[in-house]
């Protein structure tokens, strides 16, 4: 089974469209799966504590063209969590449908999640110790990254990497701006970092 993993779309129509087109061209048999932050919350963390709801447009942009691209399974990220805390239930059909999405998903010996569930060092190294799965796939930091047994490794584009042995934390990279995605092949236990042009 092949998974095309994406994360950190942040409501970018052009970047998301480019990545999805690239996936469908280079890995047409892959199942597309998002690791969260589909949307960009316009209200920052600090302001959210004292925010009083006025309208959806103040919280998130729900562009119809962008929403039509979102035809794949997704996990929730921190942006969705903040949006849900600010927008009451029943104000948006698309947001209400998204509320039932999970925060994590286990597939074999891999766990998919959004990286806001980790503590991060100043050097953007995630502390994954509270998760026991051998393979962790995530986004969040907007920086492609590969860690084996807690040590940073090279994460070059277009070079297959075996993840058969050891414990890996794999940041798939952001769709926003960088247009990155990751192909995970469960049969060969390999990953391949990609970037749409």
């Amino acid at each position: 089974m092949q998974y095309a993993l994406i994360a950190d779309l942040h409501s970018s129509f052009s970047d998301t469209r480019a990545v999805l087109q690239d996936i469908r061209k280079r890995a047409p048999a892959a199942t597309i799966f998002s690791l969260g932050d589909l949307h960009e919350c316009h209200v920052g963390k600090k302001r959210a504590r004292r925010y009083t709801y006025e309208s959806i447009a103040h919280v998130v942009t729900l562009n119809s063209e962008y929403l039509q691209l979102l035809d794949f399974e997704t996990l929730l990220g921190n942006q969705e969590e903040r949006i849900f805390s600010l927008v009451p239930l029943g104000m948006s059909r698309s947001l209400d449908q998204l509320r039932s999405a999970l925060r994590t998903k286990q597939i074999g010996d891999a766990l998919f999640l959004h990286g806001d569930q980790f503590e991060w060092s100043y050097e953007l190294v995630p502390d994954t110790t509270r998760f026991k799965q051998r393979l962790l796939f995530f986004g969040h930091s907007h920086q492609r990254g590969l860690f084996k047994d807690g040590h940073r490794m090279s994460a070059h584009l277009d070079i297959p990497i075996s993840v058969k042995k050891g414990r890996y934390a794999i940041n798939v990279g952001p769709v926003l701006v960088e247009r990155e995605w990751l192909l995970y092949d469960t049969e060969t236990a390999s990953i391949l970092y990609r970037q749409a042009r």
Side-chain angles (χ1 to χ4, degrees):
M1 181 82 177
Q2 290 186 329
Y3 292 92
L5 302 178
I6 57 176
D8 303 307
L9 290 65
H10 290 273
S11 303
S12 175
F13 173 74
S14 60
D15 293 330
T16 301
R17 181 177 59 182
V19 166
L20 294 176
Q21 287 174 344
D22 196 51
I23 291 169
R24 290 178 177 128
K25 177 182 174 185
R26 295 164 113 181
T31 297
I32 300 171
F33 193 92
S34 166
L35 305 178
D37 281 4
L38 293 179
H39 299 289
E40 175 69 24
C41 184
H42 304 319
V43 180
K45 282 189 276 190
K46 289 182 182 176
R47 196 162 65 98
R49 294 185 196 124
R50 62 184 189 280
Y51 180 81
T52 303
Y53 179 78
E54 295 174 28
S55 75
I56 287 178
H58 289 162
V59 179
V60 61
T61 301
L62 298 176
N63 176 291
S64 61
E65 287 182 302
Y66 176 71
L67 292 175
Q68 288 177 6
L69 295 176
L70 309 181
D71 62 351
F72 42 80
E73 187 176 351
T74 188
L75 298 175
L76 297 180
N78 55 295
Q79 294 291 312
E80 286 80 32
E81 293 287 335
R82 192 176 327 137
I83 291 166
F84 298 156
S85 75
L86 301 172
V87 176
L89 191 65
M91 302 306 292
S92 162
R93 185 172 166 233
S94 62
L95 288 181
D96 288 348
Q97 289 173 337
L98 188 58
R99 287 176 197 264
S100 62
L102 303 172
R103 285 289 270 153
T104 63
K105 181 166 183 161
Q106 178 99 29
I107 296 177
D109 58 356
L111 184 68
F112 297 167
L113 70 162
H114 196 69
D116 67 313
Q117 298 176 63
F118 304 136
E119 295 293 327
W120 290 81
S121 75
Y122 185 74
E123 297 82 22
L124 293 179
V125 176
D127 178 358
T128 63
T129 53
R130 75 181 187 97
F131 295 92
K132 302 307 176 198
Q133 289 83 1
R134 194 179 72 76
L135 300 173
L136 298 172
F137 291 92
F138 56 94
H140 183 61
S141 70
H142 292 223
Q143 185 178 82
R144 169 178 14 116
L146 178 62
F147 305 88
K148 181 179 181 183
D149 300 323
H151 301 287
R152 188 185 294 273
M153 298 179 62
S154 296
H156 299 294
L157 293 169
D158 304 318
I159 298 174
I161 301 167
S162 174
V163 291
K164 281 184 181 176
K165 296 180 180 178
R167 187 169 183 273
Y168 291 87
I170 303 155
N171 190 331
V172 305
V175 168
L176 180 69
V177 180
E178 302 300 332
R179 297 186 173 185
E180 294 181 346
W181 60 279
L182 181 128
L183 184 65
Y184 168 47
D185 191 315
T186 62
E187 290 186 21
T188 62
S190 64
I191 60 171
L192 183 63
Y193 286 98
R194 295 289 202 180
Q195 186 174 40
R197 304 287 174 210

